[in-house]
């Protein structure tokens, strides 16, 4: 179990947006403007892949990925904690097991908030 305490109940910076490219882009612009170019590139790639494969799966993956990103980023303490945990794993100087478990938990919380859980849970 990690020593990290759950974040205090605070309001997120923005409400969770609709899971549409337009609404997610607006959220990314407000929360992390530096990530807009990556968002635009990912959307273009997802659109191209969807056309080439004649499948909506690439667009669903895009919405899932960016929906979870926004859900995490709209809560600054959670986003900061995630960055710290990712640095712990990247550094490779300590056993990453606890950090990886907490990263998974943060992503699961983001999926739940975004309504994009891939685990088939109700």
């Amino acid at each position: 179990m990690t020593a990290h305490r759950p974040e205090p109940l605070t309001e997120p910076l923005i409400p969770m947006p609709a899971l549409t490219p337009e609404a997610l882009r607006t959220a990314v612009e407000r929360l992390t403007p530096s990530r807009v170019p990556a968002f635009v590139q990912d959307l273009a790639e997802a659109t191209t892949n969807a056309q080439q494969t004649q499948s909506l799966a690439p667009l669903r993956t895009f919405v899932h990925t960016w929906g979870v990103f926004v859900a995490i980023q709209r809560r600054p303490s959670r986003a900061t904690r995630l960055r710290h945990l990712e640095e712990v794993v990247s550094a490779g100087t300590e056993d990453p097991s606890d950090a990886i478990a907490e990263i998974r938990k943060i992503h699961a919380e983001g999926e739940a908030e975004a309504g994009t859980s891939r685990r088939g849970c109700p």
Side-chain angles (χ1 to χ4, degrees), residues 64-83:
H64 170 82
T65 300
W66 285 96
V68 171
F69 176 82
V70 167
I72 292 169
Q73 295 301 313
R74 68 195 197 104
R75 295 183 186 272
S77 62
R78 183 165 56 192
T80 299
R81 181 67 181 162
L82 178 61
R83 281 190 298 278

Side-chain angles (χ1 to χ4, degrees), residues 4-72:
H4 179 252
R5 292 180 172 245
E7 68 185 66
L9 295 176
T10 59
E11 291 293 315
L13 295 175
I14 63 170
M16 187 64 206
L19 297 178
T20 65
E22 298 81 18
L24 290 170
R25 180 185 174 127
T26 299
V28 171
E29 287 172 345
R30 289 192 59 199
L31 296 168
T32 55
S34 66
R35 300 287 296 166
V36 171
F39 177 92
V40 171
Q41 181 177 346
D42 285 357
L43 178 56
E45 289 174 8
T47 302
T48 299
N49 289 339
Q51 291 170 336
Q52 290 175 345
T53 61
Q54 296 183 353
S55 169
L56 293 177
L59 292 170
R60 287 186 186 117
T61 298
F62 169 84
V63 166
H64 170 82
T65 300
W66 285 96
V68 171
F69 176 82
V70 167
I72 292 169

